[in-house]
Amino acid sequence: MKLPNYYEDPNTLHVGTCENRSYYIPYGQDLNSHATLLSGDWRFGYYPYPEAVPADFINPDFDDSSMDTIPVPSCWQCHGYDYHQYTNVNYPIPFDPPYVPKENASGAYRTTFTLSAEAAKQRNFLYFEGVDSCFYVWVNGKFVGYSQVSHSSSEFEISSFVNEGTNTLAVLVLKWCDGTYLEDQDKLRMSGIFRDVLLLTRPKSFVRDYTVRTFLKDGGAGVVRVSVEADGEISPVLTLCDADKNPVGEAVLADGVYEFTVLNAKLWTAETPYLYTLTISTADEVITQAVGIREVYIKDGVVYVNGQNLKFRGTNRHDSDPVTGYTISKEQAIRDLTLMKQFNFNAIRTSHYPNAPWFTELCDRYGFYVIAESDIEMHGYLSTYHSDRENTLGLLDEGGVFTEAVLDRVQRNVIRDKNHPSVLIWSLGNEAGFGYAYQNAGRWTKEYDPTRLTHYESSTWDHSNRFDKSMLDLYSRMYATTEEVDSYFAEEGPKKPFIQCEFVHAMGNGPGDIEDYYQQIMKYDGFCGGFVWEWCDHAVNQGIAENGKTMYGYGGDFGEYPHDGNFCMDGLVYPDRTPHTGVYEWKNVVRPVRARLVDAHKVTLALKNMLDFTDMADAITLSYECKADGELLCSGEIAVPSTAPHTESEVTIPVTLPKTAADCYLKLTYLTKTAHELVPAGHEVGFDQFLLSGSAVRRLNTVTDEATAPTVTEGDRFLTVSGEEFTYQYDTFTGIFSSLERGGETISMDYSIFRAPTDNDRNIREEWERANYHHSQTRTYTTEYAIDGQTVQITSTVNLCAVTVQSIMKFTVIWTIDGAGTITCKIDAKRNTDMPYLPRFGVELTLPKSWQQVSYLGYGPQECYIDKHHLAWFDAFESTVEDMHEDYIKPQENGNHYHCRKASVGNGTNGVTAYAATSFDFSVSNYSDYELAVKKHNYELEESDFVTMHLDYKNSGVGSNSCGPQLLPQYQMNDKEFEWEYQLKF
Ligand code: GAL
Ligand code: MG
């Protein structure tokens, strides 16, 4: 069919649409809804380009019986049409704004709705909550209008198009339009009517829009101001009720604004989401609106909500589901919000577009602070030839092509969601540079709504000094390093509050830098918090593999070009919302109570209430447990003293410490005291653990058997060390045991510096590969042995090296073997500091496959690393090799246990136990490191016919360098010189 070409015309953004308004559903005085949901199965035809669509599909008499059906709302890629594509920065189409490819996939939708005689005489509207990317609408064969801006509402008045009885609605959706250039968010690219469609039947005159604003007065009163805009003649009556449905105050009308004064107002916060209900009533309609009384403002560079300096503990959230794509039901959204509450989040950034119009309603109700973001991202400009970050995007809107579009998108976001207490911050968009269009849109926002804060990260890329940015309240950054944060606050002079709208990039195994950032957030009043990138992994469920695993597809799995691989899987939860270990790390870092050991002898602790509005005693119950090397000494509950937000109080725990060298740890566990709608009472919100006593170094007794020393036989290469029950082959070329045989089972050993790169290793990996770490080997310079009484001692000097490159490390290793076959290993090493830091340094043991039982004394039970261990605690744990594996969709290093004193792997009869003089990192897996490194999907992983056990002097931290800063030096295996001692008993 031939269409008016609005979709390549940035001057025609909408045709026939109603003026923007806040989102609400009107009811009749009989309390019947005036909205009918048109969602359901619609007729659907998929065409390669609009010209191929039959022109008469819009007509009521068109025979649509041979068309397919598709559910509305949905994305057509999720129903077998077109193909999936994942791209991050790169535009999926040639860069030729405002033009888009001629082959522009087109979806023709048809449905019908019926109107009673009475309804047909009233005023009727169609309300589309979200259509990607643009759409044309016809009712009964007549053209109604056109709209774009995928994640915003478009409303059309269809009063003059409808009749009593059956009416035909036809919608043509195009995959690309000029708006595509403004919707280059990092996501799977999907199309269609992906949110609900409503039919509204309203009286001749009605409330068109209203704006609610709240203020606080000294003395605890809250002020609720409501302005009402009418279509036609109305005399609205406004009432405000509390949560128990009792009216509070009377509306006073002055200068066209209704004002309620609520004495002793109960204030809305994320912790206390108290809502009043506003009712706007006209002759024929009732509109209700939840009202939260609260105030947000900045004073001296600090963000305050209701007079309290608070921190955003936030996450970025996309609408994303492995089956339904962009289409998210309330149940799916509530599932996310439930997890967020349970994992101690208090804030959400709707990256990078408005969510469904009811989403902020849920945030009002459950208590989340929201950065509401406009549907804009033009990141792809950076991938064009001759581009640079500072200028390319800024220049773009100087040309004026998208100036109107930017303003339109910002207005649609602000006006739709303006009545929600949860929204504290308006975001102008994401990664689209800064220029006149943004200056303009920013000014409009601040003038339209001075009661909220404004934010736009791209403003901080532009250093031209050509634009006014005074309307932006926050200094917004993403992935700023801890150093950059420090220097921002070290600079003299007044400054805007600092916010990390994205940080701790949660891709794969990580993030490892949450605690470091949180320390800064706590340190600087002006650092108002951050938002983790991001909430969920984006992927497409492609069915179940033979081994029973879900086959999640990511970039490149759909044969598409271009694509950005697995960069879409960078969330805190898997696509099905199973939590990643990283979200446990977050949860405990931002726990609502932080304890400090004041006196280890008296076991006195200071408990700090990290909540912003709730007394600690009202929110938390506390239990404790004291263990010596994992053996319970005592446990109990302690009454939580009344403690105001942000203050401390002391408690003393009744513990009598034994005189032992064992590690005595005290663990405090914090539980919710009362139930919240999404969190039951007794839910664990975090814990603290303290070492009360113990000795850092444990002497490893090299003689565990008083019997005679083993014998040694010299071969041309190997030393055979034998005892009554064992035969060990020591390789004098490599400086380690090539085989350890006992009871018919054989183990082998090797030095190990390689790990299956994590997503966060993606940059350093290149250095590691250049240094040939993945081909490392050892050779000895010298080997000597001696038999001294009860033991054999072998000493080698060793060079750890790889072909082509220089030495990585040199060390002396002393092995002591006693009559029982116990091996004690002592290493004294010097690393070549010209080489990059190591993934790890330690030994790898290849164990019989039947050894599947694991126990360890160290940090667990979840995987943990030197920089990601706040989710774990020190204890004695038992597990299985299978359970020690964390099944990342894109396989990688996983399952490490930080700071272990002891670890055993066996089958109940045979096994090995490792002891550390100080500690080691420990992991064990049914998959080889090589397998984890090369396989692209978890469902392709094949188990090896042995078990791989790692004991490391140090396994490097995981950080968040997939997008965040480099791994901090203190978490790298970068030691210049070190000693390490451990023992293996069989
Ligand atoms: C940011 C961007 C996000 C996401 C992230 C990388 O630059 O704002 O949308 O792409 O990088 O995962
Ligand atoms: Mg981007």
Side-chain angles (χ1 to χ4, degrees), residues 603-675:
V603 195
T604 303
L605 299 128
L607 303 179
K608 178 154 189 193
N609 182 2
M610 303 298 293
L611 296 167
D612 301 305
F613 298 100
T614 319
D615 189 298
M616 187 160 66
D618 294 336
I620 301 292
T621 64
L622 192 168
S623 65
Y624 70 90
E625 219 177 47
C626 196
K627 288 184 172 179
D629 274 359
E631 294 273 336
L632 188 65
L633 295 174
C634 60
S635 65
E637 294 208 358
I638 287 284
V640 176
S642 167
T643 311
H646 303 186
T647 68
E648 275 186 352
S649 46
E650 284 192 1
V651 292
T652 298
I653 314 275
V655 177
T656 319
L657 289 175
K659 295 229 174 324
T660 147
D663 292 331
C664 290
Y665 276 99
L666 171 70
K667 184 173 176 234
L668 305 180
T669 305
Y670 314 118
L671 308 168
T672 50
K673 186 167 182 181
T674 52

Side-chain angles (χ1 to χ4, degrees), residues 75 77 83-92 131-133 149-152 175-177 179-192 194-195 317-321 325-328 350-355 373-380 409 430-431 502 505 533-534 536-540 553-556 558 560 562-570:
C75 303
Q77 285 84 354
Y83 55 90
H84 282 293
Q85 178 162 22
Y86 164 60
T87 101
N88 173 4
V89 176
N90 296 328
Y91 280 120
V131 182
D132 199 316
S133 75
V149 188
S150 299
H151 297 84
S152 292
K175 181 169 180 172
W176 314 121
C177 71
T180 301
Y181 290 98
L182 295 112
E183 293 178 12
D184 192 32
Q185 292 95 345
D186 175 3
K187 58 179 171 23
L188 283 148
R189 311 291 170 122
M190 299 187 193
S191 325
F194 68 95
R195 286 184 187 156
R317 182 186 168 282
H318 265 283
D319 280 338
S320 173
D321 183 275
Y326 298 174
T327 302
I328 300 297
T350 67
S351 54
H352 303 296
Y353 43 74
N355 289 160
E373 194 147 275
S374 308
D375 195 351
I376 312 181
E377 171 157 343
M378 301 189 235
H379 212 168
R409 284 163 183 267
N430 188 54
E431 297 181 323
E502 292 177 29
H505 197 254
W533 186 266
E534 66 174 313
C536 72
D537 286 344
H538 307 234
V540 176
Y554 53 77
F558 321 109
E560 78 277 32
H563 70 79
D564 283 299
N566 67 327
F567 227 71
C568 50
M569 296 197 307
D570 53 1

Side-chain angles (χ1 to χ4, degrees), residues 527-597:
F527 190 171
C528 67
F531 292 73
V532 176
W533 186 266
E534 66 174 313
W535 174 244
C536 72
D537 286 344
H538 307 234
V540 176
N541 182 329
Q542 299 182 300
I544 306 291
E546 266 176 28
N547 59 9
K549 289 189 187 175
T550 303
M551 296 187 288
Y552 286 114
Y554 53 77
D557 286 341
F558 321 109
E560 78 277 32
Y561 178 85
H563 70 79
D564 283 299
N566 67 327
F567 227 71
C568 50
M569 296 197 307
D570 53 1
L572 290 164
V573 297
Y574 288 95
D576 69 353
R577 270 53 181 179
T578 303
H580 277 267
T581 52
V583 73
Y584 286 95
E585 176 79 359
W586 168 268
K587 174 186 176 184
N588 204 42
V589 167
V590 305
R591 59 197 179 270
V593 180
R594 279 200 163 231
R596 196 162 53 78
L597 189 60

